[in-house]
Amino acid sequence: MSTSAARTLDLMAFVAASERPLGLMELVEQSGLDKSTAGRLLSFLVQRGFLNRDPVTKRYTVGPAFIALGAAALNRWELKANAAAHLRRLCEVTGETSSLHLRVGDERICVAGVESSHPVRRVLTIGERVPLHASPTGKVILAFLDENEAKGPLAAARAAGIDVLVLERTLARIREQRHMIGVGDRTPGVGAVSVPLFEQDGTPVASLTIAGPADRWTPSRMEECLPLLRAAAEQICIAPGVRTI
């Protein structure tokens, strides 16, 4: 990939990952580019529709072409269409929030889900990105990455102050059990049970999860519903050839 292309993609990624519109100087600081180069590349992205530039604030947000590209990728994998019915059933039967998470680099992103009808429930943020080491939804993916691919997530965990030896023991247990049940693992007072999904070559690509308040969604209740979660995972086809184990 050319240097110019890499810089352009980096700028798109910075804008997409931000929870608020970004200005030129913020993007200069994040990217390490000089102001002239960043401005030229941003103008190109605006012209192509991948970014929007507010004429008043002069800040950047993702544009229609970027959104369409993401939607096309999801549609190609038939992700939402194939998962929707299973996510609804998981929520209806368990009474808790169900969700599907896709691996994107060293993170997982929530791409679909159905929230519980209980007033107190696990609330989803579609599009939320979380490091693989930071939640059950990511750990069941991280556990099955090969040694080289796991280096990045483990380094991120170490940088975040996580005891990597403890994390590696957790990952070993996930590999043995093929699932993870956790309470307060990411959010205090929240229980979650997750299973991984794999491509035919064994590469982990996603996870399926049911989560809820720990006083209601207890470890014993999660164990009870684990076969239902596994059965749903078996039927969700994320892409041609994807399987679960």
Side-chain angles (χ1 to χ4, degrees):
M1 180 183 295
S2 70
T3 301
S4 179
R7 289 171 174 173
T8 303
L9 291 174
D10 284 344
L11 288 171
M12 287 176 58
F14 289 136
V15 174
S18 177
E19 296 181 354
R20 58 180 179 79
L22 294 177
L24 172 60
M25 295 313 298
E26 290 174 300
L27 288 164
V28 166
E29 182 178 350
Q30 290 187 39
S31 66
L33 299 174
D34 61 71
K35 183 178 178 181
S36 175
T37 299
R40 175 173 54 81
L41 295 176
L42 288 167
S43 294
F44 171 78
L45 289 169
V46 170
Q47 291 171 6
R48 293 290 183 171
F50 287 100
L51 296 181
N52 283 328
R53 182 175 184 267
D54 188 294
V56 177
T57 66
K58 299 182 180 180
R59 291 179 174 272
Y60 296 88
T61 56
V62 294
F66 188 99
I67 295 170
L69 189 64
L74 290 179
N75 288 337
R76 178 172 59 85
W77 284 359
E78 300 180 349
L79 184 60
K80 290 184 178 180
N82 290 347
H86 300 292
L87 291 168
R88 283 196 300 271
R89 174 166 168 73
L90 288 172
C91 181
E92 289 169 359
V93 173
T94 66
E96 303 300 344
T97 296
S98 61
S99 55
L100 186 68
H101 305 262
L102 182 69
R103 179 196 170 198
V104 179
D106 293 345
E107 300 174 313
R108 64 81 173 147
I109 181 170
C110 181
V111 294
V114 178
E115 289 189 5
S116 167
S117 60
H118 289 292
V120 179
R121 63 185 183 274
R122 181 61 168 147
V123 176
L124 295 175
T125 302
I126 302 300
E128 178 187 47
R129 302 171 75 116
V130 175
L132 291 177
H133 70 266
S135 70
T137 56
K139 286 176 182 173
V140 295
I141 298 173
L142 175 56
F144 294 94
L145 292 179
D146 64 33
E147 185 177 352
N148 284 333
E149 287 195 303
K151 286 180 180 178
L154 291 177
R158 188 176 293 107
I162 303 297
D163 187 327
V164 174
L165 290 178
V166 173
L167 175 59
E168 288 179 334
R169 286 197 291 270
T170 298
L171 299 178
R173 187 162 57 251
I174 292 171
R175 284 191 290 273
E176 179 182 351
Q177 298 177 340
R178 307 296 189 185
H179 71 270
M180 179 177 178
I181 289 177
V183 174
D185 189 80
R186 178 181 171 223
T187 305
V190 173
V193 54
S194 300
V195 297
L197 288 85
F198 300 80
E199 290 184 337
Q200 282 189 332
D201 64 1
T203 302
V205 292
S207 63
L208 188 64
T209 298
I210 307 172
D215 59 349
R216 189 174 65 228
W217 192 232
T218 61
S220 61
R221 178 75 175 129
M222 287 187 267
E223 286 279 4
E224 178 185 335
C225 294
L226 183 57
L228 180 69
L229 182 64
R230 289 193 189 281
E234 289 289 347
Q235 297 177 60
I236 294 175
C237 179
I238 299 179
V242 170
R243 62 181 176 84
T244 62
I245 61 174

